[in-house]
Amino acid sequence: MAATSKKPWRNFRRKAADESDSEENQNDQQDDDMEAEEEKSAVDIIVKPAKKKKKKKDKKDSAKLLSFEDDHDVDDGDVFKIKKSSQSKRLAKQLKKEKMKEKEEILKAKEENPGPKDVSSKKSEEETDEKIRRLREEFMTLNGDDAAALDMDSEEEDKGTLHKLLGKGEIPDANMIHNIRKKRQQARDMGDFVPLDNAAKQENSSSRLVREDDNDKSEDDEEGRMDFSVNMAALERQRIKDQFLAAEHGSDEESDQEREWEAQQIKKGVTVGQPVETKAEDQEVSDDGTSQTNGYTYQSTNNVTFQPFTAMSKTSNLTDINMDVIKKRLKERLDSMEEVSQRHTQERDTLVADIDDADQTTVTCEGSVDSLEKRYRFFQEMRGYVRDLVECLNEKVPIINDLETRMLNLLRRQSEQLVSRRQQDVRDQCQDYMTSKAKIVMESSEGQAKQMRTAEREARRSRRRRKREVKNIRGHHEGLSSDDEENQSEITKFNLEKEVIDTGVERLFEDVEDDFKEVSCVRERFESWKEEYGETYSEAYIGLCLPKLFNPFVRLQLIQWNPLEANGQDFEDTQWFETLVFYGCQPEDTEQEMNNDDIKLLPTIVEKIIVPRITVLAETVWDPLSTTQTSRLVNMIQRIIRDYPCAHHSNRSMQNLLHAVVKRLQKTLDDDVFMPLYPKSAIENRSSGAAVFFHRQSWTCIKLLGSIMSWHGIISTSILQSLALDGLLNRYVILGLCNSVLNQETIQKCHSIVSTFPKEWFTGLDEEKTLPQLENLCKYLVSAAKILEKEIAASKDMDKKDHKDMVKQINKMLVNVHALNHALSLQV
């Protein structure tokens, strides 16, 4: 069983001993006695050496120590010796030699001076003792930690250099450190040191097989130990040797590839710059006339390649040479030279032509220097002008915005005052003519204010009445006037504020040069650019930039513009419009030449400036109950739609304008329309206050109905019918008609209502019925006609005629609104 469990013997490779070690081994045999004495003196802990055994027994013991199964066979009484490394041996030998020398010197000194020892001998003995002590310390250090001592030995020279530098107070730079490291690496490569990897690994290892004497390199037990260290230098030399042998005796395929690569590299070096003399097999001619030689591409005018001629003396068979062959060879040589000559001639002609073109270009450029200089100066001046203009406008635009806002606020306050006064007058009259009203104490402040408002209202009405009488205006009814007269104090206050704004407009460009303050100056600059350099003018898209550039000037002149005023100036009569209306147009220009962005200058200004300005006025200043303001606004918008292509249903500015108009009409229907309801007994007396107030409000509603209908063709039919018919006619007007006395004035009101309806509303109706929204009006007319028919029989002859005329008018109105079914039911 012991034989079967025993591990087989393994032949491990042993580390080759160095030359120094072999020499030391030879010397060790001669000096065994002296070496034993030195070891006893240097080692503090004396370990009793084990008896020497035979080599066979040592080998068996080492084998047992490497076996994991035979660990338990090791006797507990084994005594371990502290092994000595080769470095410690060298130090011991050195110490021994020094002691021998010292002894010899002492003996010589005694022979020369047999007397007592002097002071010098004592000093030498002390120095000797100190050296011995130091050597002993180094010996102990090597026995305890070989790696540190070996490292100090390998880096002694480098550390000496560093210690010298640090001792002088100098700090080594990067170059010095690099040189020291380089020297150390060279020393390692030369094998002047003992590698520390195996020792470090063995010291840090936690394996149970590692013992204190594993790192011992002594010769006493070296034959019976297995060396696991790796000789890196030997491995490197073996690797280089293998590579060299593989390269020298490699496969045929690899050698062929290498030889082919070497041949290609040699050809490249020889044939660079000689594309004509390349061989046919090394040169490939592409389809586009370029030749490729071993990776290099040459441009050639012809696809013909020439091969060098071989000497006839090199012909193997001289008998084949005759006159025909010589002539043929000469002819071929002549043809090739002629082709080369033609090619050179073509290249020369090409170069001559290029030289002529270059001379001509030089002359042309010299001739265009003046024009280019003028062009450069013009664009530099234009660049500076535009930059200055933009900086000037950036400073003036906030002031223009402030002036524009102040003017709009002034007009809005004026309009709000008139509307609030009219609404207050309606409330006052409604309280005055209520049948069940409470008495108001006139002595109170509220009664005095109301009395003052009544006096002012009656004074305005009397002044308007006198003006109509002077102008001989007939057919006017109370409630058709706008009642927009103001007191003299309010007019004076409004004019003062307006004058301040007008003064700010006039003085805005006083501190500006003449080239920047007028629209005409800016126009002249850009027109000169277009005339002289029209191509660059169009490339810079100046036509698209001009509306924004002229925007501040146009807005400044439109601050005082109010199209709702009685004597308001039309925007086409302003200075800026007359200046820009013919911008970029010349009398000799054709229609195609005029088709550019400059033609869109005015339409763009109208779209971006005029229409938004009208939108703000319609939303804040316009009064729909004023017939004159409504007619002016409608005429203005209709002309814009007719004359300017920007005004269409998909344009955002026009959509905002129409939305503002509809919103203002709806607000008027909600806030300003009021129809009082009185009993017929109260309104039969036409001269009574209640009757006058009732008829005034009725005619006011009819006037507003006409104002709304004036937007036909601008606002969509559905929205217009909703506002006029549903919101006003059926809600207020017909209610007032039903509450009024049937007479000639009532028929006249009906006629005024029907006359406001556009005829286009009834042309598309197929049946004999009118619009659904007009059914209430038709029913009222039919009932009024039947009442008149009943009164005809009981009335006198004079009244019968009047009643019949009113019935005819009612029948005619029914036909006008396409209510044929209701008209046929009447007896005319």
Side-chain angles (χ1 to χ4, degrees):
M1 293 299 293
T4 57
S5 61
K6 195 174 183 179
K7 290 186 178 181
W9 172 259
R10 295 183 182 180
N11 187 11
F12 294 94
R13 187 179 63 180
R14 299 176 182 176
K15 184 177 179 181
D18 297 338
E19 295 178 358
S20 61
D21 294 339
S22 62
E23 294 176 359
E24 290 172 0
N25 291 333
Q26 295 176 3
N27 296 328
D28 288 342
Q29 295 177 1
Q30 299 175 3
D31 302 328
D32 287 338
D33 297 333
M34 296 179 67
E35 185 177 3
E37 294 177 1
E38 293 297 331
E39 289 177 359
K40 289 179 182 180
S41 61
V43 180
D44 294 332
I45 301 173
I46 302 175
V47 180
K48 187 177 180 178
K51 294 181 179 181
K52 295 183 180 180
K53 298 181 181 180
K54 294 181 180 181
K55 293 182 179 180
K56 294 182 180 180
K57 189 175 181 180
D58 293 340
K59 292 181 181 179
K60 290 180 181 180
D61 294 338
S62 63
K64 288 181 180 181
L65 290 175
L66 289 173
S67 176
F68 289 94
E69 296 178 355
D70 299 333
D71 289 342
H72 60 277
D73 296 332
V74 179
D75 295 334
D76 297 334
D78 291 343
V79 179
F80 293 94
K81 282 196 333 183
I82 298 176
K83 305 297 181 179
K84 295 182 294 180
S85 64
S86 60
Q87 186 71 13
S88 62
K89 289 183 177 182
R90 284 195 293 270
L91 292 174
K93 292 176 183 180
Q94 185 178 0
L95 181 61
K96 182 181 65 175
K97 292 178 181 179
E98 290 180 356
K99 292 181 73 174
M100 293 293 293
K101 289 181 181 180
E102 290 175 358
K103 289 180 180 180
E104 292 177 358
E105 290 178 358
I106 292 171
L107 292 174
K108 290 181 181 180
K110 287 182 178 181
E111 292 177 356
E112 294 176 359
N113 299 320
K117 295 181 179 179
D118 54 359
V119 180
S120 60
S121 63
K122 292 181 180 180
K123 290 183 179 180
S124 62
E125 290 179 357
E126 292 178 357
E127 292 178 356
T128 304
D129 295 338
E130 182 66 21
K131 289 181 180 180
I132 292 171
R133 185 180 64 80
R134 290 179 182 176
L135 290 173
R136 287 176 179 175
E137 291 179 356
E138 293 177 359
F139 181 74
M140 292 291 293
T141 303
L142 286 172
N143 286 329
D145 192 358
D146 295 340
L150 292 174
D151 187 60
M152 292 176 60
D153 183 55
S154 63
E155 297 179 359
E156 183 178 2
E157 183 180 357
D158 297 340
K159 285 187 176 181
T161 306
L162 289 174
H163 285 309
K164 289 179 181 180
L165 291 174
L166 295 174
K168 295 179 181 180
E170 298 179 0
I171 298 175
D173 55 357
N175 294 329
M176 177 62 70
I177 295 172
H178 177 71
N179 293 331
I180 293 172
R181 289 179 178 175
K182 189 174 180 181
K183 290 179 181 179
R184 290 174 60 188
Q185 185 64 29
Q186 290 176 357
R188 292 190 183 97
D189 295 340
M190 295 298 294
D192 294 341
F193 77 104
V194 179
L196 305 179
D197 295 340
N198 298 331
K201 290 180 181 178
Q202 292 172 2
E203 289 176 2
N204 297 330
S205 176
S206 61
S207 175
R208 62 191 182 93
L209 296 177
V210 178
R211 289 169 172 78
E212 294 179 357
D213 57 343
D214 286 347
N215 298 330
D216 193 0
K217 302 297 181 179
S218 63
E219 293 180 356
D220 295 337
D221 199 31
E222 187 174 4
E223 295 180 356
R225 293 188 46 166
M226 289 174 291
D227 191 0
F228 290 95
S229 61
V230 180
N231 191 349
M232 302 302 296
L235 290 177
E236 183 67 21
R237 288 193 296 272
Q238 184 64 29
R239 185 180 63 81
I240 296 172
K241 182 178 179 180
D242 294 341
Q243 291 179 356
F244 176 77
L245 293 175
E248 185 176 3
H249 304 287
S251 61
D252 296 337
E253 182 179 357
E254 294 179 354
S255 60
D256 293 340
Q257 292 178 356
E258 291 178 358
R259 284 194 295 272
E260 184 179 356
W261 180 79
E262 291 178 358
Q264 290 178 357
Q265 297 301 320
I266 293 171
K267 288 181 180 179
K268 287 181 181 180
V270 173
T271 57
V272 168
Q274 300 177 2
V276 178
E277 298 180 359
T278 56
K279 295 182 180 180
E281 59 270 14
D282 295 335
Q283 185 175 14
E284 296 178 0
V285 180
S286 61
D287 296 336
D288 55 354
T290 59
S291 60
Q292 298 180 355
T293 304
N294 294 329
Y296 293 91
T297 304
Y298 301 91
Q299 185 70 30
S300 177
T301 56
N302 299 323
N303 294 335
V304 181
T305 58
F306 302 97
Q307 298 181 358
F309 291 91
T310 58
M312 298 183 67
S313 60
K314 296 181 180 181
T315 305
S316 61
N317 191 1
L318 298 178
T319 58
D320 296 338
I321 301 174
N322 51 27
M323 293 301 296
D324 295 335
V325 173
I326 295 172
K327 289 181 180 180
K328 183 179 179 181
R329 294 290 298 274
L330 291 174
K331 190 174 186 313
E332 292 177 355
R333 185 64 179 272
L334 181 62
D335 294 340
S336 64
M337 294 301 293
E338 288 179 355
E339 291 179 1
V340 172
S341 177
Q342 290 177 1
R343 188 176 62 185
H344 290 171
T345 304
Q346 292 177 358
E347 293 177 357
R348 185 199 61 187
D349 297 339
T350 303
L351 294 175
V352 171
D354 293 341
I355 293 172
D356 295 339
D357 294 339
D359 294 339
Q360 187 176 1
T361 303
T362 304
V363 174
T364 305
C365 293
E366 291 177 353
S368 60
V369 169
D370 296 336
S371 62
L372 292 175
E373 183 179 1
K374 180 181 178 182
R375 180 190 180 95
Y376 175 77
R377 289 180 179 178
F378 174 81
F379 283 113
Q380 286 294 103
E381 293 177 358
M382 198 68 195
R383 178 181 174 220
Y385 176 79
V386 172
R387 182 178 296 175
D388 295 340
L389 178 62
V390 171
E391 292 178 358
C392 174
L393 294 179
N394 287 335
E395 294 181 358
K396 301 300 180 182
V397 164
I399 303 175
I400 294 173
N401 294 336
D402 181 63
L403 294 173
E404 190 176 24
T405 304
R406 290 169 60 186
M407 179 59 74
L408 290 175
N409 291 334
L410 181 62
L411 295 175
R412 188 186 70 255
R413 288 197 301 269
Q414 184 186 27
S415 177
E416 290 176 353
Q417 289 177 0
L418 295 175
V419 172
S420 62
R421 187 184 69 182
R422 182 173 60 245
Q423 293 175 356
Q424 186 63 41
D425 290 341
V426 171
R427 286 193 294 268
D428 293 342
Q429 294 179 76
C430 182
Q431 292 177 359
D432 291 340
Y433 304 124
M434 287 178 63
T435 55
S436 60
K437 65 178 181 178
K439 294 183 179 179
I440 300 176
V441 181
M442 300 302 294
E443 288 79 7
S444 62
S445 59
E446 184 180 356
Q448 293 177 0
K450 180 179 179 181
Q451 188 176 3
M452 185 178 297
R453 290 195 300 269
T454 302
E456 292 177 356
R457 181 175 64 249
E458 294 300 329
R460 293 194 301 271
R461 290 175 180 174
S462 62
R463 286 194 296 270
R464 289 196 299 270
R465 191 179 302 111
R466 287 194 298 269
K467 289 180 180 180
R468 289 194 298 269
E469 291 176 356
V470 170
K471 294 180 180 180
N472 196 14
I473 298 175
R474 297 179 181 180
H476 181 78
H477 301 279
E478 293 291 335
L480 295 180
S481 61
S482 301
D483 192 15
D484 53 359
E485 291 84 7
E486 293 181 317
N487 297 331
Q488 189 62 35
S489 60
E490 295 176 352
I491 295 173
T492 303
K493 183 179 179 180
F494 177 83
N495 291 334
L496 289 176
E497 294 181 2
K498 187 177 179 181
E499 287 178 0
V500 173
I501 297 174
D502 295 343
T503 303
V505 172
E506 294 175 357
R507 294 181 179 179
L508 182 61
F509 283 97
E510 285 185 351
D511 57 343
V512 179
E513 295 291 336
D514 295 339
D515 294 338
F516 305 97
K517 64 170 51 178
E518 296 292 339
V519 181
S520 57
C521 300
V522 180
R523 173 193 168 179
E524 290 177 359
R525 287 279 187 170
F526 286 96
E527 276 188 340
S528 62
W529 185 359
K530 184 178 181 179
E531 291 176 1
E532 295 183 9
Y533 309 103
E535 183 178 355
T536 57
Y537 180 89
S538 60
E539 290 177 356
Y541 298 100
I542 301 301
L544 299 177
C545 301
L546 287 178
K548 293 183 179 181
L549 198 61
F550 290 129
N551 184 300
F553 297 101
V554 176
R555 288 174 54 197
L556 182 65
Q557 296 186 22
L558 290 178
I559 289 176
Q560 304 171 352
W561 176 65
N562 185 9
L564 302 178
E565 291 181 353
N567 298 322
Q569 186 182 15
D570 190 7
F571 73 91
E572 293 184 354
D573 296 334
T574 55
Q575 181 182 1
W576 67 266
F577 188 88
E578 295 177 356
T579 304
L580 300 177
V581 66
F582 295 111
Y583 174 79
C585 299
Q586 299 295 334
E588 63 274 5
D589 291 343
T590 60
E591 184 177 358
Q592 295 179 355
E593 294 177 353
M594 293 176 62
N595 188 13
N596 50 29
D597 295 330
D598 294 338
I599 304 300
K600 302 177 183 179
L601 177 60
L602 283 179
T604 305
I605 291 176
V606 171
E607 178 186 358
K608 301 295 184 182
I609 303 176
I610 303 299
V611 175
R613 174 79 175 184
I614 297 174
T615 302
V616 176
L617 294 175
E619 189 174 3
T620 59
V621 181
W622 172 49
D623 183 12
L625 289 176
S626 176
T627 306
T628 55
Q629 290 185 9
T630 303
S631 62
R632 295 190 190 106
L633 183 61
V634 170
N635 293 333
M636 174 73 64
I637 295 175
Q638 286 179 347
R639 190 174 60 195
I640 291 174
I641 294 174
R642 182 183 65 251
D643 297 340
Y644 295 93
C646 64
H648 49 82
H649 66 280
S650 61
N651 186 268
R652 180 60 63 86
S653 300
M654 291 300 299
Q655 289 179 359
N656 295 335
L657 173 58
L658 298 181
H659 284 309
V661 170
V662 173
K663 183 178 178 181
R664 186 68 182 90
L665 290 173
Q666 187 64 46
K667 183 179 179 181
T668 302
L669 290 175
D670 297 337
D671 299 340
D672 295 339
V673 177
F674 176 73
M675 180 60 67
L677 297 178
Y678 298 114
K680 291 184 179 181
S681 59
I683 61 177
E684 285 179 353
N685 185 7
R686 187 66 178 80
S687 60
S688 64
V692 172
F693 177 65
F694 173 77
H695 288 290
R696 181 180 289 110
Q697 291 301 115
S698 298
W699 283 110
T700 301
C701 292
I702 294 172
K703 180 182 68 173
L704 180 60
L705 181 64
S707 298
I708 295 174
M709 290 301 177
S710 63
W711 292 97
H712 173 69
I714 300 175
I715 300 175
S716 64
T717 303
S718 60
I719 296 177
L720 201 61
Q721 290 179 357
S722 176
L723 292 172
L725 302 182
D726 297 335
L728 184 59
L729 179 63
N730 296 327
R731 185 177 179 183
Y732 296 103
V733 178
I734 294 178
L735 184 62
L737 292 176
C738 294
N739 196 32
S740 62
V741 179
L742 186 59
N743 52 19
Q744 188 64 38
E745 185 177 4
T746 303
I747 300 300
Q748 189 176 2
K749 289 179 181 179
C750 294
H751 182 72
S752 299
I753 292 170
V754 172
S755 63
T756 59
F757 299 149
K759 295 181 180 180
E760 289 80 3
W761 286 6
F762 311 104
T763 55
L765 299 176
D766 298 334
E767 299 179 358
E768 295 179 355
K769 295 181 180 181
T770 185
L771 296 173
Q773 293 89 339
L774 297 178
E775 285 293 333
N776 294 330
L777 178 62
C778 294
K779 290 178 181 179
Y780 171 76
L781 293 176
V782 171
S783 62
K786 290 181 179 180
I787 292 173
L788 290 175
E789 288 178 356
K790 292 178 181 180
E791 292 179 357
I792 290 174
S795 63
K796 298 179 182 180
D797 294 338
M798 295 295 296
D799 295 335
K800 287 182 179 179
K801 185 178 180 180
D802 294 336
H803 291 169
K804 287 181 180 180
D805 291 339
M806 287 189 289
V807 172
K808 289 180 180 179
Q809 293 177 8
I810 291 172
N811 193 8
K812 187 177 181 181
M813 285 186 286
L814 291 173
V815 173
N816 289 335
V817 297
H818 203 270
L820 300 179
N821 55 346
H822 295 290
L824 294 174
S825 63
L826 298 178
Q827 297 178 1
V828 181

